[in-house]
Amino acid sequence: MPTRDGSTAAGAARVPAPRRGERARTPAVTGDSRPRLGRHVRMRPDRPTGGWVLLGPETVVVLNRTGHAVLRLCDGERSVDDIVAALVADFDEADALVVGDQVREYLARLVARNLVALG
């Protein structure tokens, strides 16, 4: 975890920056992937804000309503396509293609940080 001077705290995991000319690698999240919370990661209500947080080793992620809606469906049983279908059914006027792209991108970022695992 970066400190004020830009260095990392002892023992904190840091995702290395891509080398020059190399694109950042994001994991492939497909429609058949079955996401679940990563090892040692828990989702808990946050009493002060009334929202939800994702707790991982040396990590706290404050979730907005959309992030919580996605992650509450990530149980390792549902596929990404199932999660997208459930979200589209819950929200009026949601475009399945747009929602699908956004969910896959969101999950890929969480997988890259080891907060979500794919099955």
Side-chain angles (χ1 to χ4, degrees):
M1 190 173 309
T3 59
R4 287 184 184 178
D5 64 3
S7 64
T8 57
R14 183 171 182 215
V15 177
R19 294 181 182 170
R20 186 183 311 169
E22 183 179 283
R23 294 181 63 185
R25 293 185 190 131
T26 56
V29 178
T30 65
D32 295 331
S33 300
R34 298 188 183 280
R36 60 177 168 71
L37 293 182
R39 189 173 184 196
H40 305 296
V41 176
R42 303 289 175 259
M43 188 167 46
R44 299 280 187 244
D46 184 37
R47 289 184 190 170
T49 64
W52 289 82
V53 293
L54 200 58
L55 302 174
E58 299 186 28
T59 303
V60 177
V61 177
V62 178
L63 300 173
N64 61 17
R65 290 190 309 168
T66 306
H68 177 253
V70 172
L71 290 175
R72 71 180 169 81
L73 298 172
C74 293
D75 58 7
E77 299 293 321
R78 293 180 180 98
S79 69
V80 172
D81 287 342
D82 295 337
I83 292 169
V84 170
L87 292 171
V88 169
D90 285 347
F91 296 99
D92 294 336
E93 300 181 22
D95 180 9
L97 293 175
V98 173
V99 172
D101 288 344
Q102 291 173 345
V103 167
R104 280 187 282 280
E105 181 182 328
Y106 180 63
L107 291 174
R109 289 194 323 258
L110 293 175
V111 169
R113 294 179 63 189
N114 295 319
L115 296 171
V116 169
L118 300 176

